[in-house]
Amino acid sequence: MAKAVGIDIGGTGIKGALVDSATGELISERIKLPTPGGGEPDDIVNTVIEIIDQLKVDADIPVGVCFPAVVIHGKTMSAANVSKKWIGLEAEKLFEKALERDIRFVNDADAAGVAEVRYGAAKDVAGLVILTTLGTGIGSALIYDGVLIPNAELGHIEVDGKDAERRASYAAKERARLSYKGWAKRLQRYYEVLEALFSPDLLIVGGGVSKSYEEFLPLLTLRAPIVPAALRNNAGILGAAALAVKDTTAAGEGPAKAVE
Ligand code: BGC
């Protein structure tokens, strides 16, 4: 058993659990705390420390953290649903100092994509898979023949003159008090544009709302099959944990550290 902690930082909640990265199963309870208002770096770091304390894991257990921003060489380079202070921040180093250990630090949707390749709906799928997470924002992972192409920001493509996630995320559905049917119209338009640009072989839909996929996926008419994430909202935790375990060779991992 290769144990690792996965922490998934979102715009609304921060979740963590101990994971068996060989099987992709949670082996502790899942702890979820609200993302502190404003999404400031110190507050988020303190919440992550709190979750790791609650998990009571040994100091030598690898930790993977995923975050809702572009992550390049450990730096956060965007901040759509957290404080703008994250832009350009040495975020990986900040967490490593606070947690007093090395961590693996990646984009949240990329972590979910890696988990779906290893344990879920993208396993052994050839060609282009696009995973989108519908939450506070829209996250995306581009996977070709099982290999992740990191930091695709397809939640921010322009659809009918607007930033896609502002209209089609789950938070947008809630803000506009849309029924599933009303939301599905916006999702239809969004996925049509993705199909026109990328011609994917498979679309996977993750995020908390993916557990209610029967309410909206059947309303969509697309060329590619569109399926719910097999790991539902645990994909980020599982992918971050899997990436933290260094001795794995499974598809989707990429190099342990990016070339500087
Ligand atoms: C961010 C992405 C993130 C997604 C889901 C978007 O607003 O730009 O980096 O993956 O939200 O959290």
Side-chain angles (χ1 to χ4, degrees), residues 88-171:
L89 198 68
E90 291 280 4
E92 182 171 335
K93 289 200 180 120
L94 187 73
F95 282 103
E96 287 183 336
K97 199 167 161 224
L99 299 172
E100 298 173 334
R101 58 175 105 200
D102 282 350
I103 63 158
R104 187 75 195 271
F105 188 69
V106 295
N107 170 267
D108 57 353
D110 283 350
V114 166
E116 290 293 329
V117 169
R118 288 221 186 150
Y119 321 109
K123 196 170 182 204
D124 300 324
V125 177
L128 183 65
V129 178
I130 301 182
L131 170 135
T132 47
T133 59
L134 304 174
T136 314
I138 296 183
S140 60
L142 268 189
I143 298 146
Y144 187 74
D145 279 354
V147 176
L148 173 77
I149 301 156
N151 288 314
E153 283 285 324
L154 306 183
H156 297 295
I157 55 170
E158 201 177 293
V159 176
D160 302 328
K162 299 217 171 72
D163 186 45
E165 77 171 24
R166 298 295 306 161
R167 283 184 55 76
S169 69
Y170 180 65

Coordinates of all heavy atoms in Angstrom, one line a residue, residues 88-171:
G88 N 1.5 35.0 -9.1 CA 2.9 35.1 -9.0 C 3.5 34.7 -7.7 O 4.7 34.8 -7.5
L89 N 2.7 34.1 -6.8 CA 3.2 33.7 -5.5 C 3.9 32.3 -5.6 O 3.5 31.4 -6.3 CB 2.0 33.5 -4.6 CG 2.3 33.5 -3.1 CD1 2.8 34.8 -2.6 CD2 1.0 33.1 -2.3
E90 N 5.0 32.2 -4.8 CA 5.7 30.9 -4.7 C 4.9 30.0 -3.8 O 5.3 29.7 -2.6 CB 7.1 31.1 -4.1 CG 8.1 31.8 -5.0 CD 8.7 30.9 -6.1 OE1 8.3 29.7 -6.2 OE2 9.6 31.4 -6.8
A91 N 3.8 29.5 -4.3 CA 2.8 28.8 -3.5 C 3.3 27.5 -2.9 O 3.1 27.2 -1.8 CB 1.5 28.6 -4.3
E92 N 3.9 26.7 -3.8 CA 4.4 25.4 -3.3 C 5.4 25.6 -2.1 O 5.3 24.9 -1.1 CB 5.1 24.7 -4.5 CG 5.6 23.3 -4.1 CD 6.1 22.5 -5.3 OE1 5.7 22.8 -6.4 OE2 6.9 21.6 -5.1
K93 N 6.3 26.6 -2.3 CA 7.2 26.8 -1.2 C 6.5 27.3 0.1 O 6.9 26.9 1.2 CB 8.3 27.9 -1.6 CG 9.2 27.4 -2.7 CD 10.5 28.2 -2.7 CE 11.4 27.7 -3.8 NZ 11.7 28.6 -4.9
L94 N 5.5 28.1 -0.1 CA 4.7 28.6 1.1 C 4.1 27.4 1.8 O 4.2 27.4 3.1 CB 3.6 29.5 0.5 CG 2.8 30.3 1.5 CD1 3.6 31.4 2.1 CD2 1.5 30.9 0.9
F95 N 3.5 26.5 1.1 CA 2.9 25.3 1.8 C 4.0 24.4 2.4 O 3.8 23.9 3.5 CB 2.1 24.5 0.8 CG 0.7 25.1 0.5 CD1 0.5 25.8 -0.7 CD2 -0.3 25.0 1.4 CE1 -0.8 26.3 -0.9 CE2 -1.6 25.5 1.2 CZ -1.8 26.2 0.0
E96 N 5.1 24.3 1.7 CA 6.2 23.4 2.2 C 6.7 24.0 3.5 O 7.0 23.2 4.4 CB 7.3 23.3 1.1 CG 6.8 22.4 0.0 CD 7.9 22.1 -1.1 OE1 8.8 22.9 -1.2 OE2 7.8 21.0 -1.8
K97 N 6.9 25.3 3.6 CA 7.4 25.9 4.8 C 6.4 25.7 5.9 O 6.8 25.3 7.0 CB 7.6 27.4 4.5 CG 8.6 28.0 5.5 CD 9.0 29.4 5.1 CE 9.6 30.1 6.3 NZ 9.1 31.5 6.4
A98 N 5.1 26.0 5.6 CA 4.1 25.9 6.7 C 3.9 24.4 7.1 O 3.7 24.2 8.3 CB 2.8 26.5 6.2
L99 N 4.0 23.5 6.2 CA 3.7 22.1 6.6 C 5.0 21.3 7.0 O 4.9 20.2 7.3 CB 3.1 21.3 5.4 CG 1.7 21.9 4.9 CD1 1.3 21.2 3.6 CD2 0.7 21.7 6.0
E100 N 6.1 22.0 6.9 CA 7.4 21.5 7.2 C 7.7 20.1 6.5 O 8.2 19.2 7.1 CB 7.5 21.3 8.7 CG 7.4 22.6 9.5 CD 7.3 22.5 11.0 OE1 6.9 21.4 11.4 OE2 7.7 23.4 11.6
R101 N 7.4 20.1 5.2 CA 7.7 18.9 4.4 C 7.6 19.3 2.9 O 6.9 20.2 2.6 CB 6.8 17.7 4.7 CG 5.4 18.1 4.5 CD 4.5 16.8 4.8 NE 3.8 16.9 6.0 CZ 3.3 15.8 6.6 NH1 3.4 14.7 6.1 NH2 2.6 16.0 7.7
D102 N 8.2 18.4 2.1 CA 8.0 18.6 0.6 C 6.6 18.2 0.3 O 6.0 17.3 0.9 CB 9.0 17.7 -0.1 CG 10.4 18.2 -0.2 OD1 10.6 19.4 0.2 OD2 11.3 17.5 -0.6
I103 N 6.0 18.9 -0.7 CA 4.7 18.5 -1.2 C 4.8 18.4 -2.7 O 5.7 18.9 -3.3 CB 3.6 19.5 -0.7 CG1 3.9 20.9 -1.3 CG2 3.5 19.6 0.8 CD1 2.6 21.8 -1.4
R104 N 3.7 17.9 -3.3 CA 3.5 18.0 -4.7 C 2.4 19.0 -4.9 O 1.3 18.8 -4.2 CB 3.2 16.6 -5.3 CG 3.1 16.5 -6.8 CD 4.5 16.5 -7.4 NE 4.4 16.8 -8.8 CZ 4.3 15.9 -9.8 NH1 4.2 14.6 -9.5 NH2 4.2 16.2 -11.0
F105 N 2.5 19.9 -5.8 CA 1.6 21.0 -5.9 C 1.1 21.2 -7.4 O 2.0 21.5 -8.2 CB 2.2 22.3 -5.4 CG 1.3 23.4 -5.3 CD1 0.3 23.5 -4.3 CD2 1.4 24.5 -6.1 CE1 -0.6 24.5 -4.2 CE2 0.6 25.6 -6.0 CZ -0.4 25.6 -5.0
V106 N -0.1 21.0 -7.7 CA -0.6 21.1 -9.0 C -2.0 21.8 -9.1 O -2.7 22.0 -8.1 CB -0.8 19.7 -9.7 CG1 0.6 19.0 -9.8 CG2 -1.7 18.8 -8.9
N107 N -2.4 22.1 -10.3 CA -3.8 22.6 -10.6 C -4.8 21.6 -10.2 O -4.6 20.4 -10.3 CB -3.9 22.9 -12.1 CG -5.3 23.3 -12.5 OD1 -6.0 22.4 -12.9 ND2 -5.7 24.5 -12.4
D108 N -6.0 22.0 -9.7 CA -7.0 21.1 -9.1 C -7.6 20.2 -10.2 O -7.8 19.0 -10.0 CB -8.1 21.9 -8.4 CG -8.8 23.0 -9.2 OD1 -8.3 23.3 -10.3 OD2 -9.7 23.6 -8.6
A109 N -7.9 20.8 -11.4 CA -8.6 20.0 -12.4 C -7.5 19.0 -13.0 O -7.9 17.9 -13.4 CB -9.1 20.9 -13.5
D110 N -6.3 19.4 -13.1 CA -5.2 18.5 -13.6 C -5.1 17.3 -12.6 O -5.0 16.1 -13.1 CB -3.9 19.2 -13.6 CG -3.8 20.1 -14.9 OD1 -4.7 20.0 -15.7 OD2 -2.8 20.8 -15.0
A111 N -5.2 17.5 -11.3 CA -5.2 16.4 -10.3 C -6.4 15.5 -10.6 O -6.2 14.3 -10.6 CB -5.2 17.0 -8.9
A112 N -7.6 16.1 -10.8 CA -8.8 15.3 -11.1 C -8.6 14.5 -12.3 O -9.0 13.3 -12.4 CB -10.0 16.2 -11.2
G113 N -8.0 15.1 -13.3 CA -7.7 14.4 -14.6 C -6.8 13.2 -14.4 O -7.0 12.1 -14.9
V114 N -5.7 13.4 -13.7 CA -4.8 12.3 -13.4 C -5.5 11.1 -12.7 O -5.3 10.0 -13.0 CB -3.6 12.8 -12.5 CG1 -2.8 11.6 -11.9 CG2 -2.7 13.7 -13.3
A115 N -6.4 11.5 -11.7 CA -7.1 10.4 -11.0 C -8.0 9.7 -11.9 O -8.1 8.4 -11.8 CB -7.9 11.1 -9.8
E116 N -8.7 10.4 -12.8 CA -9.6 9.7 -13.7 C -8.9 8.8 -14.7 O -9.4 7.7 -15.1 CB -10.5 10.7 -14.5 CG -11.6 11.4 -13.6 CD -12.6 10.4 -13.0 OE1 -13.0 9.5 -13.7 OE2 -13.1 10.7 -11.9
V117 N -7.6 9.2 -15.1 CA -6.8 8.3 -15.9 C -6.4 7.1 -15.2 O -6.4 6.0 -15.7 CB -5.5 9.1 -16.4 CG1 -4.6 8.1 -17.1 CG2 -5.9 10.2 -17.4
R118 N -5.9 7.3 -13.9 CA -5.4 6.1 -13.2 C -6.5 5.2 -12.7 O -6.3 4.0 -12.7 CB -4.7 6.6 -11.9 CG -3.4 7.3 -12.3 CD -2.4 6.9 -11.3 NE -1.2 7.6 -11.6 CZ -0.3 8.0 -10.8 NH1 -0.4 7.7 -9.5 NH2 0.7 8.7 -11.2
Y119 N -7.6 5.8 -12.2 CA -8.6 4.9 -11.5 C -10.0 5.0 -12.1 O -10.9 4.4 -11.6 CB -8.7 5.3 -10.0 CG -7.4 5.6 -9.3 CD1 -7.1 6.9 -8.9 CD2 -6.5 4.6 -9.0 CE1 -5.9 7.2 -8.3 CE2 -5.3 4.9 -8.4 CZ -5.0 6.2 -8.0 OH -3.9 6.5 -7.3
G120 N -10.3 5.9 -13.0 CA -11.7 6.2 -13.3 C -12.1 6.2 -14.8 O -11.6 5.3 -15.5
A121 N -12.8 7.2 -15.2 CA -13.5 7.2 -16.5 C -12.6 7.3 -17.7 O -12.9 7.0 -18.8 CB -14.6 8.3 -16.5
A122 N -11.3 7.8 -17.4 CA -10.4 8.0 -18.5 C -9.4 6.9 -18.6 O -8.5 6.9 -19.5 CB -9.7 9.3 -18.4
K123 N -9.5 5.9 -17.8 CA -8.6 4.7 -17.7 C -8.6 4.0 -19.1 O -9.7 3.6 -19.6 CB -9.0 3.8 -16.6 CG -7.9 2.9 -16.2 CD -8.2 2.1 -15.0 CE -7.0 1.2 -14.7 NZ -7.2 0.1 -13.9
D124 N -7.4 3.8 -19.7 CA -7.3 3.1 -20.9 C -8.1 3.7 -22.1 O -8.4 3.0 -23.1 CB -7.7 1.6 -20.8 CG -6.9 0.9 -19.7 OD1 -5.7 1.2 -19.6 OD2 -7.5 0.1 -19.0
V125 N -8.4 5.0 -22.0 CA -9.1 5.6 -23.1 C -8.1 6.2 -24.1 O -7.2 7.0 -23.7 CB -10.1 6.7 -22.7 CG1 -10.7 7.4 -23.8 CG2 -11.1 6.1 -21.7
A126 N -8.1 5.8 -25.4 CA -7.2 6.4 -26.3 C -7.7 7.7 -26.9 O -8.9 8.0 -26.8 CB -7.0 5.4 -27.5
G127 N -6.8 8.5 -27.4 CA -7.2 9.8 -28.0 C -7.3 10.9 -27.0 O -6.8 10.8 -25.9
L128 N -8.1 11.9 -27.3 CA -8.3 13.1 -26.5 C -9.5 13.0 -25.5 O -10.6 12.8 -26.0 CB -8.4 14.3 -27.4 CG -8.5 15.6 -26.7 CD1 -7.2 15.9 -25.9 CD2 -8.8 16.8 -27.6
V129 N -9.1 13.1 -24.3 CA -10.2 13.2 -23.2 C -10.1 14.6 -22.6 O -9.1 15.1 -22.3 CB -9.9 12.2 -22.1 CG1 -11.0 12.3 -21.0 CG2 -9.9 10.8 -22.6
I130 N -11.3 15.2 -22.5 CA -11.3 16.5 -21.8 C -12.2 16.3 -20.6 O -13.4 16.0 -20.7 CB -11.9 17.7 -22.7 CG1 -11.1 17.8 -24.0 CG2 -12.0 19.0 -21.9 CD1 -11.6 19.0 -24.8
L131 N -11.6 16.6 -19.4 CA -12.4 16.5 -18.2 C -12.6 18.0 -17.8 O -11.7 18.8 -17.8 CB -11.6 15.8 -17.1 CG -12.2 16.0 -15.7 CD1 -12.1 14.7 -14.9 CD2 -11.4 17.0 -14.8
T132 N -13.9 18.3 -17.5 CA -14.2 19.6 -16.9 C -14.8 19.4 -15.6 O -15.6 18.5 -15.3 CB -15.2 20.3 -17.8 OG1 -16.3 19.4 -18.2 CG2 -14.6 20.8 -19.1
T133 N -14.5 20.2 -14.6 CA -15.1 20.2 -13.3 C -16.0 21.4 -13.2 O -15.6 22.5 -13.4 CB -14.0 20.2 -12.2 OG1 -13.3 21.5 -12.3 CG2 -13.1 19.1 -12.2
L134 N -17.3 21.1 -12.8 CA -18.3 22.2 -12.7 C -18.5 22.5 -11.2 O -19.1 21.8 -10.5 CB -19.6 21.8 -13.4 CG -19.5 21.3 -14.8 CD1 -20.8 20.7 -15.3 CD2 -19.0 22.4 -15.7
G135 N -17.8 23.6 -10.8 CA -17.9 24.0 -9.4 C -18.0 25.5 -9.3 O -18.8 26.1 -10.0
T136 N -17.2 26.1 -8.4 CA -17.2 27.5 -8.2 C -16.8 28.1 -9.6 O -17.3 29.1 -10.0 CB -16.2 27.9 -7.1 OG1 -16.4 27.1 -6.0 CG2 -16.4 29.4 -6.8
G137 N -15.8 27.5 -10.2 CA -15.4 27.9 -11.6 C -15.6 26.7 -12.5 O -16.3 25.8 -12.1
I138 N -15.0 26.7 -13.6 CA -14.9 25.5 -14.4 C -13.4 25.2 -14.6 O -12.6 26.0 -15.1 CB -15.5 25.7 -15.8 CG1 -17.0 25.9 -15.7 CG2 -15.3 24.4 -16.7 CD1 -17.8 26.0 -17.0
G139 N -13.0 24.0 -14.1 CA -11.6 23.5 -14.3 C -11.6 22.6 -15.5 O -12.6 22.0 -15.9
S140 N -10.4 22.4 -16.0 CA -10.3 21.5 -17.1 C -9.0 20.7 -17.1 O -7.9 21.3 -16.7 CB -10.4 22.2 -18.5 OG -9.4 23.2 -18.6
A141 N -9.0 19.5 -17.6 CA -7.8 18.7 -17.8 C -7.8 18.2 -19.2 O -8.8 17.6 -19.6 CB -7.7 17.6 -16.8
L142 N -6.8 18.4 -20.0 CA -6.6 17.8 -21.3 C -5.7 16.6 -21.2 O -4.6 16.7 -20.7 CB -5.9 18.8 -22.2 CG -6.6 19.9 -23.0 CD1 -5.6 20.5 -24.0 CD2 -7.7 19.3 -23.8
I143 N -6.2 15.5 -21.7 CA -5.5 14.2 -21.6 C -5.4 13.6 -23.0 O -6.5 13.3 -23.6 CB -6.2 13.3 -20.6 CG1 -6.2 13.9 -19.2 CG2 -5.5 11.9 -20.5 CD1 -7.4 13.6 -18.4
Y144 N -4.2 13.3 -23.4 CA -4.1 12.7 -24.8 C -3.4 11.3 -24.6 O -2.3 11.3 -24.1 CB -3.4 13.6 -25.8 CG -3.4 13.0 -27.1 CD1 -4.6 13.0 -27.9 CD2 -2.3 12.3 -27.7 CE1 -4.7 12.4 -29.1 CE2 -2.4 11.7 -28.9 CZ -3.6 11.7 -29.6 OH -3.6 11.1 -30.9
D145 N -4.0 10.2 -25.0 CA -3.5 8.9 -24.8 C -3.0 8.7 -23.4 O -1.9 8.1 -23.2 CB -2.4 8.6 -25.8 CG -3.0 8.2 -27.2 OD1 -4.2 8.0 -27.3 OD2 -2.2 8.0 -28.1
G146 N -3.7 9.1 -22.4 CA -3.4 8.9 -21.0 C -2.4 9.9 -20.4 O -2.0 9.8 -19.3
V147 N -1.9 10.8 -21.3 CA -0.9 11.8 -20.8 C -1.5 13.2 -20.6 O -2.2 13.7 -21.5 CB 0.3 11.9 -21.8 CG1 1.3 12.9 -21.3 CG2 1.0 10.5 -21.9
L148 N -1.3 13.7 -19.4 CA -1.9 15.0 -19.1 C -1.1 16.2 -19.8 O 0.1 16.2 -19.7 CB -1.9 15.2 -17.6 CG -2.3 16.6 -17.1 CD1 -3.8 16.7 -17.2 CD2 -1.8 16.8 -15.7
I149 N -1.8 17.1 -20.4 CA -1.2 18.3 -20.9 C -1.6 19.4 -19.9 O -2.8 19.8 -19.8 CB -1.7 18.7 -22.3 CG1 -1.4 17.5 -23.2 CG2 -1.1 20.0 -22.8 CD1 -2.3 17.4 -24.4
P150 N -0.7 19.8 -19.0 CA -1.2 20.6 -17.8 C -1.6 22.0 -18.1 O -1.3 22.6 -19.1 CB 0.1 20.6 -16.9 CG 1.2 20.3 -17.8 CD 0.7 19.5 -19.0
N151 N -2.4 22.5 -17.1 CA -2.8 24.0 -17.1 C -3.6 24.4 -18.3 O -3.6 25.6 -18.6 CB -1.5 24.8 -17.0 CG -0.9 24.8 -15.6 OD1 -1.6 24.9 -14.6 ND2 0.4 24.6 -15.6
A152 N -4.4 23.5 -18.8 CA -5.4 24.0 -19.8 C -6.5 24.8 -19.0 O -6.9 24.3 -18.0 CB -6.1 22.8 -20.5
E153 N -6.8 25.9 -19.5 CA -7.7 26.8 -18.7 C -9.0 26.9 -19.6 O -9.4 28.0 -20.0 CB -7.1 28.1 -18.4 CG -6.1 28.1 -17.3 CD -6.8 28.0 -15.9 OE1 -7.9 28.6 -15.7 OE2 -6.3 27.3 -15.0
L154 N -9.7 25.8 -19.9 CA -10.8 25.8 -20.8 C -12.1 26.4 -20.1 O -13.1 26.6 -20.8 CB -11.0 24.4 -21.4 CG -9.8 23.8 -22.0 CD1 -10.2 22.5 -22.7 CD2 -9.2 24.7 -23.1
G155 N -12.0 26.7 -18.8 CA -13.1 27.3 -18.2 C -13.2 28.8 -18.5 O -14.2 29.5 -18.3
H156 N -12.1 29.3 -19.1 CA -12.0 30.7 -19.4 C -12.0 31.0 -20.9 O -11.7 32.1 -21.3 CB -10.8 31.3 -18.8 CG -10.8 31.3 -17.3 ND1 -11.7 31.9 -16.5 CD2 -10.0 30.6 -16.4 CE1 -11.5 31.6 -15.2 NE2 -10.5 30.8 -15.1
I157 N -12.4 30.0 -21.7 CA -12.6 30.3 -23.1 C -13.8 31.2 -23.3 O -14.7 31.2 -22.4 CB -12.8 29.1 -24.1 CG1 -13.9 28.2 -23.6 CG2 -11.5 28.3 -24.2 CD1 -14.2 27.1 -24.6
E158 N -13.8 32.0 -24.3 CA -14.9 32.9 -24.5 C -16.1 32.3 -25.3 O -15.8 31.7 -26.3 CB -14.4 34.2 -25.3 CG -15.3 35.4 -25.1 CD -14.7 36.6 -25.8 OE1 -13.6 37.1 -25.4 OE2 -15.3 37.0 -26.8
V159 N -17.2 32.3 -24.7 CA -18.4 31.7 -25.4 C -19.5 32.8 -25.5 O -19.9 33.4 -24.5 CB -19.0 30.5 -24.6 CG1 -20.2 29.9 -25.2 CG2 -17.9 29.4 -24.4
D160 N -19.8 33.1 -26.7 CA -20.8 34.1 -27.0 C -20.4 35.4 -26.3 O -21.2 36.1 -25.6 CB -22.2 33.7 -26.6 CG -22.6 32.4 -27.4 OD1 -22.2 32.3 -28.5 OD2 -23.3 31.6 -26.8
G161 N -19.1 35.8 -26.3 CA -18.6 37.0 -25.8 C -18.4 37.0 -24.3 O -18.1 38.1 -23.7
K162 N -18.6 35.9 -23.6 CA -18.5 35.9 -22.1 C -17.5 34.8 -21.7 O -17.4 33.7 -22.3 CB -19.8 35.6 -21.5 CG -20.9 36.7 -21.8 CD -21.7 37.0 -20.6 CE -22.6 38.2 -20.8 NZ -23.7 37.9 -21.7
D163 N -16.8 35.0 -20.6 CA -16.0 34.0 -20.0 C -16.9 32.8 -19.6 O -17.9 33.0 -18.9 CB -15.4 34.7 -18.7 CG -14.3 33.8 -18.0 OD1 -13.5 33.2 -18.7 OD2 -14.4 33.6 -16.8
A164 N -16.5 31.6 -20.1 CA -17.4 30.5 -20.0 C -17.8 30.2 -18.6 O -19.0 29.9 -18.3 CB -16.7 29.3 -20.6
E165 N -16.9 30.2 -17.6 CA -17.3 29.8 -16.3 C -18.3 30.8 -15.6 O -19.0 30.4 -14.7 CB -16.1 29.5 -15.4 CG -15.4 30.8 -14.9 CD -14.3 30.4 -13.8 OE1 -13.8 29.3 -13.8 OE2 -14.0 31.3 -13.0
R166 N -18.3 32.0 -16.1 CA -19.2 33.0 -15.5 C -20.6 32.6 -15.8 O -21.6 32.9 -15.1 CB -18.9 34.4 -16.0 CG -17.6 35.0 -15.7 CD -17.4 35.2 -14.2 NE -18.4 36.0 -13.5 CZ -18.6 36.0 -12.2 NH1 -17.9 35.2 -11.4 NH2 -19.5 36.8 -11.7
R167 N -20.8 31.8 -16.9 CA -22.2 31.5 -17.3 C -22.5 30.0 -17.0 O -23.7 29.6 -16.8 CB -22.4 31.8 -18.8 CG -22.6 33.3 -19.0 CD -23.0 33.6 -20.4 NE -24.1 32.8 -21.0 CZ -25.4 33.1 -20.8 NH1 -25.7 34.1 -20.0 NH2 -26.3 32.4 -21.3
A168 N -21.5 29.1 -17.1 CA -21.8 27.7 -17.1 C -21.3 26.9 -15.9 O -21.6 25.7 -15.9 CB -21.3 27.1 -18.4
S169 N -20.6 27.5 -15.0 CA -20.2 26.8 -13.8 C -21.4 26.4 -12.9 O -22.5 26.9 -13.1 CB -19.2 27.6 -12.9 OG -19.9 28.7 -12.3
Y170 N -21.2 25.5 -12.0 CA -22.3 25.2 -11.0 C -22.6 26.5 -10.2 O -23.8 26.8 -10.0 CB -21.9 24.1 -10.1 CG -23.0 23.7 -9.1 CD1 -24.2 23.2 -9.6 CD2 -22.8 23.9 -7.8 CE1 -25.2 22.9 -8.7 CE2 -23.8 23.6 -6.9 CZ -25.0 23.1 -7.3 OH -26.0 22.9 -6.5
A171 N -21.6 27.3 -9.8 CA -21.9 28.5 -9.1 C -22.8 29.5 -9.9 O -23.7 30.1 -9.4 CB -20.6 29.2 -8.7

